[in-house]
Amino acid sequence: QVELVESGGGSVQSGGSLRLSCAASEYLFNHRCMGWIRQDPGQEGEGEVVASIDTDGSTIYADSVKGRFTVARDSANNTINLYMNRLKPEDTAMYYCAADSHCGLLLKSKGGPFNDWGQGTQVTVSS
């Protein structure tokens, strides 16, 4: 059963904008913190949580995207959207939508019993 489905990735020039969407099951949307994690195979490490949004609407952003990215909940469609502005080449990565019982565990608890990831969508920013 697929519970998180991302869409909206693509290629854009530096300075451009993209919107990523994650359609979630009703249960995940209403009971889990949700967020966006990006992974770049060319870089070391497990990835970066760029933005998260909890069920009460509280948000957390990585320093690397503050002021450029905005995450929002669309309750009518059980969807979270990531609005990415002023994109930079270093934003190039595979972006995954994830859900967990706690925002701090989105990446740390990958594969855990309360952790779910989508299939990912590629974002490529050219200079």
Side-chain angles (χ1 to χ4, degrees):
Q1 182 180 357
V2 179
E3 298 195 87
L4 296 171
V5 180
E6 302 98 332
S7 62
S11 298
V12 66
Q13 290 191 329
S14 182
S17 299
L18 283 173
R19 183 188 73 176
L20 304 184
S21 295
C22 175
S25 68
E26 185 173 1
Y27 180 81
L28 288 184
F29 185 84
N30 289 316
H31 294 90
R32 295 283 188 263
C33 173
M34 296 182 65
W36 291 93
I37 298 167
R38 64 185 180 189
Q39 295 181 330
D40 181 354
Q43 293 189 357
E44 294 185 1
E46 296 182 345
E48 178 183 34
V49 181
V50 297
S52 64
I53 185 164
D54 215 332
T55 53
D56 63 359
S58 57
T59 57
I60 301 174
Y61 295 95
D63 287 344
S64 59
V65 306
K66 280 181 181 177
R68 299 188 299 122
F69 290 12
T70 301
V71 61
R73 289 167 60 90
D74 176 358
S75 298
N77 296 296
N78 293 337
T79 296
I80 65 165
N81 295 306
L82 183 68
Y83 299 90
M84 305 186 295
N85 298 313
R86 303 200 308 275
L87 282 161
K88 305 175 182 179
E90 50 263 45
D91 294 318
T92 295
M94 184 71 81
Y95 284 70
Y96 296 90
C97 178
D100 201 285
S101 57
H102 192 283
C103 291
L105 298 178
L106 284 169
L107 179 58
K108 295 176 183 178
S109 292
K110 184 179 182 182
F114 303 107
N115 190 274
D116 294 272
W117 285 45
Q119 80 286 356
T121 186
Q122 178 68 37
V123 171
T124 301
V125 184
S126 58
S127 57

